[in-house]
Structure formats: structure tokens, C-alpha cells
Amino acid sequence: DWNDRPGWGFIRETHVNRGWRRHGVGTALVGIACNVMKQSGATQAYLTTEGPFEFWEKTGWERTGEAAPNGGEILTKAL
């Protein structure tokens, strides 16, 4: 289990093939994941990333400044 925050939603990995980027695919995938987490009862979600921070911030995630175990940064979002 990769989720270290009980009661929170967690996005483990998201990847969009380079040829499909900037077509709304990533935004749609993250939106679906957030809806599923919310329907499951989570009110907050988090993920770890090394970037691109612009994408995550555009989709409503906030940088925490907390280092993640994988060397990236933890981002959070209210659902």
C-alpha cells in the first residue's frame, strides 16, 4: 500500500505519452482520479512528484515544500 495518509486519496503515478500532452488527457485523468477518491470518502488527496509543477498547480494541487521519500515533493489538494 503506497498511501501513507489514512483517509486521504493518493495518486501514485500518472503519465501521458508525449504525443498526447497538451490535449487535456492528463487533466481528464487527474479529474477522474479525484472524483473517484471523493466518491470513496476522501476529502483530501496527495501525490509526490519531481515536476512538472506547472501542470499540477494548474489542476489545483498545492506545493507543500515537504520532501517525499522518493526525492520529489509532496503536493496536496482539497477534494
Side-chain angles (χ1 to χ4, degrees), residues 16-56:
V16 174
N17 184 289
R18 193 172 303 275
W20 284 97
R21 293 179 189 168
R22 300 201 178 269
H23 294 286
V25 175
T27 301
L29 289 172
V30 171
I32 291 167
C34 288
N35 286 337
V36 169
M37 289 185 279
K38 189 173 182 176
Q39 290 172 3
S40 297
T43 58
Q44 299 283 328
Y46 77 105
L47 58 85
T48 63
T49 187
E50 294 177 8
F53 294 107
E54 299 81 16
F55 168 78
W56 294 108

Side-chain angles (χ1 to χ4, degrees), residues 51-74:
F53 294 107
E54 299 81 16
F55 168 78
W56 294 108
E57 290 171 330
K58 181 182 130 195
T59 56
W61 295 80
E62 296 181 8
R63 296 178 72 171
T64 65
E66 292 179 66
N70 65 358
E73 184 176 334
I74 296 173

